[in-house]
Amino acid sequence: MSVIVIGHRNPDTDSICSAIAYAYLKRQVTNEAYIAGRCGNVKPETKFVLDHFQVEEPTYFEDVKARVTDMIGQESPFAVLANAPIRDVGVLAAKENTKSLPVVDQDYHLVGMITLGDIAERYLNLEEFKDFDKMGITLGALVHTMGGCFISPTDEERPLKGKAVIGGMNPNSMVKHIEPGDFVVIGDREEAQLAAIKAGAGCLIITGGFSVTEKVKSEALTAGVPILSVPHDTYSAARLLGMCAPVNTIMHQDDIIAFQEDDYVDDVRKVMLDTRYRSYPVINKQKRLVGVVSRYHLLTMQRKQVILVDHNEKSQAVMGLEQAQILEVIDHHRMGDVQTGEPIFFRGEPVGCTSTIIASMYDEQDVEIPQDIAGIMLAAILSDTVLFKSPTCTKRDKVIAEKLAQIAGVDIMEFGKAMFAAGSSLEGRSPEEIIFQDFKEFHLGDKKLGICQVETMDMEGAQKLKANLLDSMESIRSDKKLDMVLLMLTDIINEGTLLLTAGKDVEIVDKAFKVTVKDQEAYLPGVLSRKKQVVPPLSAFLGA
């Protein structure tokens, strides 16, 4: 199972690029499987970066909740073919230590279920052995199940007819029980064999591994009676007859409870408790069998393993995090509320960007930084520090950015301006797209706030969208049951932020930033960082 390296919801450039860069570093250091993940859409700025350095987007994860695929792991599914003899079920059930098996066709599509109880019921029903027409047994199934070989040329597709007769009595008495088409289980007795052929037997099964005389062969060939020699005694051979029937004659086809491979384990657990079967087949969207699960799998299931980058708060994390195993956290924000059941590696540093920390870890682990990875980490630093203008920017961010720029072969300012230009245009974007470009929820004191930030060079366009933005912010506030939603429209050239507000608690903004909110907006000169210039004043005012 691969470890998922993933950033926060509504990921920004640092969240995406840090996940890619750290997953690469972990693969180089451990030689194990680490994949970069995302739990939101890639924004225009980030897409520009990934396209520029020809790096693939991380894998999208809607959540990290436990699914059926986590229960079956890498196990190969076991099943029995619908046209296989019933005896194959017993052999496979003993091998897999199970009492029920899925039944599949030649393309591994699920077609039924069969249990050892079904076989026992068949075996105890003696009436079945009086009419083999209904059992669908062929001569080929006989030799497959019993072993041995045909003594005379035989069409193995030929079905068995009539009933079974054990030829253990006097020949004169035996022939009274034989009707045309019946097959006779008989030992090494020439007289009885000839009598059975003469009485119209449809097949002779010679037990004990014996052959027959030339006279018997000749009579059988003339009458068209196949002769099968099997290595079992008469009693054992008779027992195996019922096991020669194909599985599809007794399998269950109705009311089969099967799970999809992407079903949530929580839902599966409820079904298991309500139905209490021993095992359940798992199928994919094409209805092909991919595994079998039981209550044992619930106990031994391995949780998804994740590494969090660029955040450590539950409200910002991928859905279902409580069901996953957190292995590490690499972050540059405040301490959040993510909790673990065991000690983990946690690295949080007061720098401007998570990628700054990760770039340092490459040096510490003596791993060479590839050109494309250097490029995306540089982009993350430029994005988070707003071209080094943000108060969160440190000397270390600048030093590492210079190093990464040399490896990536780009001019910092030229590339940075192109990146921001690609990501800052608001033209053609819906209010929801703009708001959720970088949306985070914060619990500060007894208030729940949503704070989103958009760096833009298009403040004129932002003003034209103001009414629609405010309407959408209010809808989002109501839907998410937030006290306020704040939208930071940050002008990276003039170094200031136009703050739009939705919610009735505007005095929070007035007092926290010592401004006056008018027409649901306030201008914050010099404010570029949500983390360092917006969240701390709000937190201090609200007593968080």
Side-chain angles (χ1 to χ4, degrees):
M1 179 184 294
S2 298
V3 177
I4 303 167
V5 184
I6 194 165
H8 51 74
R9 301 178 203 173
N10 306 308
D12 57 9
T13 299
D14 185 27
S15 183
I16 294 289
C17 295
S18 289
I20 296 171
Y22 197 57
Y24 178 86
L25 175 61
K26 295 295 289 187
R27 290 195 298 271
Q28 302 309 303
V29 172
T30 67
N31 201 30
E32 295 177 357
Y34 290 80
I35 60 172
R38 60 182 174 89
C39 51
N41 296 325
V42 174
K43 300 178 176 64
E45 176 189 286
T46 312
K47 186 177 187 308
F48 169 83
V49 171
L50 298 181
D51 289 346
H52 184 90
F53 294 105
Q54 298 181 7
V55 176
E56 291 186 4
E57 294 181 4
T59 303
Y60 175 74
F61 289 91
E62 181 180 356
D63 58 62
V64 289
K65 293 180 180 179
R67 297 177 184 262
V68 173
T69 48
D70 300 315
M71 297 173 67
I72 59 178
Q74 302 300 315
E75 299 176 12
S76 298
F78 53 84
V80 64
L81 289 171
N83 60 358
I86 293 172
R87 187 165 187 263
D88 286 6
V89 175
V91 173
L92 184 58
K95 177 184 176 183
E96 299 294 343
N97 191 28
T98 184
K99 294 186 178 181
S100 64
L101 288 169
V103 184
V104 298
D105 62 16
Q106 296 291 341
D107 296 321
Y108 237 68
H109 294 111
L110 181 70
V111 295
M113 289 290 292
I114 187 169
T115 69
L116 295 185
D118 298 326
I119 298 175
E121 185 177 347
R122 160 62 67 89
Y123 194 79
L124 293 172
N125 184 3
L126 298 179
E127 295 299 316
E128 294 265 9
F129 293 92
K130 295 182 179 180
D131 189 359
F132 275 75
D133 290 8
K134 298 178 181 179
M135 297 180 69
I137 300 176
T138 64
L139 293 173
L142 280 182
V143 72
H144 174 84
T145 304
M146 294 186 170
C149 62
F150 286 103
I151 294 174
S152 56
T154 303
D155 176 13
E156 295 192 8
E157 297 299 319
R158 176 177 162 182
L160 296 185
K161 302 291 184 180
K163 64 182 182 300
V165 177
I166 307 300
M169 61 194 79
N170 181 283
N172 293 329
S173 301
M174 177 188 69
V175 296
K176 296 178 182 179
H177 297 276
I178 299 175
E179 295 177 343
D182 290 347
F183 56 98
V184 181
V185 183
I186 196 168
D188 184 23
R189 301 165 59 214
E190 182 184 49
E191 183 183 0
Q193 294 166 0
L194 290 171
I197 294 171
K198 187 176 181 179
C203 176
L204 293 185
I205 299 176
I206 310 300
T207 61
F210 295 112
S211 186
V212 296
T213 65
E214 290 300 321
K215 184 177 181 180
V216 173
K217 283 184 182 180
S218 177
E219 292 291 333
L221 186 60
T222 300
V225 179
I227 301 175
L228 173 63
S229 175
V230 299
H232 308 286
D233 57 48
T234 302
Y235 169 73
S236 299
R239 288 184 61 199
L240 287 171
L241 280 175
M243 300 297 102
C244 297
V247 170
N248 57 23
T249 60
I250 62 172
M251 70 183 185
H252 297 288
Q253 292 180 281
D254 300 325
D255 301 323
I256 297 173
I257 298 178
F259 300 125
Q260 293 279 343
E261 58 185 344
D262 59 351
D263 284 347
Y264 291 122
V265 170
D266 284 347
D267 298 330
V268 168
R269 182 182 289 107
K270 294 175 184 176
V271 174
M272 285 185 173
L273 292 174
D274 289 341
T275 55
R276 304 193 68 81
Y277 291 121
R278 292 183 180 275
S279 60
Y280 303 79
V282 180
I283 58 177
N284 61 19
K285 292 181 180 178
Q286 291 73 42
K287 295 186 177 180
R288 287 191 175 93
L289 184 76
V290 295
V292 177
V293 294
S294 64
R295 287 172 184 79
Y296 165 79
H297 290 90
L298 288 174
L299 299 174
T300 60
M301 177 187 65
Q302 184 177 357
R303 293 179 293 165
K304 285 186 172 69
Q305 296 180 317
V306 300
I307 294 175
L308 304 181
V309 294
D310 198 33
H311 74 297
N312 70 106
E313 297 195 44
K314 288 189 293 186
S315 63
Q316 299 174 16
V318 59
M319 297 295 292
L321 184 66
E322 68 282 355
Q323 295 185 18
Q325 180 184 8
I326 303 173
L327 301 182
E328 300 181 27
V329 176
I330 313 295
D331 193 16
H332 70 125
H333 295 94
R334 68 172 189 164
M335 292 289 289
D337 56 357
V338 169
Q339 296 182 347
T340 62
E342 57 279 316
I344 66 167
F345 178 81
F346 189 108
R347 183 158 178 171
E349 299 186 38
V351 292
C353 179
T354 305
S355 284
T356 298
I357 304 171
I358 295 172
S360 300
M361 297 175 76
Y362 273 79
D363 288 339
E364 294 164 9
Q365 298 290 341
D366 196 26
V367 174
E368 183 178 351
I369 304 177
Q371 183 177 11
D372 56 347
I373 298 296
I376 63 174
M377 285 197 291
L378 168 66
I381 294 172
L382 297 180
S383 177
D384 261 22
T385 65
V386 196
L387 286 176
F388 309 130
K389 295 178 181 179
S390 170
T392 63
C393 183
T394 66
K395 181 179 180 181
R396 187 166 151 216
D397 293 302
K398 295 178 181 179
V399 170
I400 289 179
E402 292 284 355
K403 176 183 176 180
L404 294 173
Q406 291 179 3
I407 298 172
V410 298
D411 178 88
I412 287 181
M413 288 303 160
E414 182 180 325
F415 172 75
K417 289 179 180 179
M419 178 185 73
F420 279 111
S424 66
S425 176
L426 303 181
E427 184 177 352
R429 298 166 64 185
S430 70
E432 289 76 14
E433 285 180 297
I434 295 170
I435 294 167
F436 284 116
Q437 175 174 313
D438 189 0
F439 184 96
K440 293 182 179 179
E441 292 182 27
F442 297 88
H443 294 183
L444 304 177
D446 60 353
K447 300 294 184 181
K448 293 172 62 178
L449 281 66
I451 307 176
C452 35
Q453 181 174 23
V454 177
E455 288 94 5
T456 182
M457 299 179 181
D458 185 18
M459 294 302 289
E460 183 178 344
Q463 282 290 354
K464 293 178 180 178
L465 290 172
K466 177 182 172 181
N468 291 334
L469 287 169
L470 289 171
D471 288 343
S472 295
M473 289 166 61
E474 179 56 34
S475 296
I476 293 167
R477 187 195 67 80
S478 177
D479 291 344
K480 289 182 173 289
K481 296 180 172 55
L482 301 172
D483 294 290
M484 292 195 75
V485 170
L486 307 177
L487 171 57
M488 298 172 59
L489 294 168
T490 300
D491 187 337
I492 58 177
I493 300 301
N494 297 313
E495 301 186 32
T497 290
L498 178 66
L499 188 68
L500 302 186
T501 69
K504 297 180 179 180
D505 299 323
V506 292
E507 70 277 2
I508 294 175
V509 175
D510 289 342
K511 295 178 180 178
F513 299 103
K514 296 180 175 56
V515 295
T516 300
V517 175
K518 184 178 181 181
D519 297 329
Q520 293 184 261
E521 71 172 60
Y523 186 74
L524 308 179
V527 171
L528 300 175
S529 169
R530 170 176 51 195
K531 180 181 72 173
K532 201 161 186 177
Q533 294 175 292
V534 173
V535 174
L538 290 171
S539 180
F541 177 74
L542 294 171

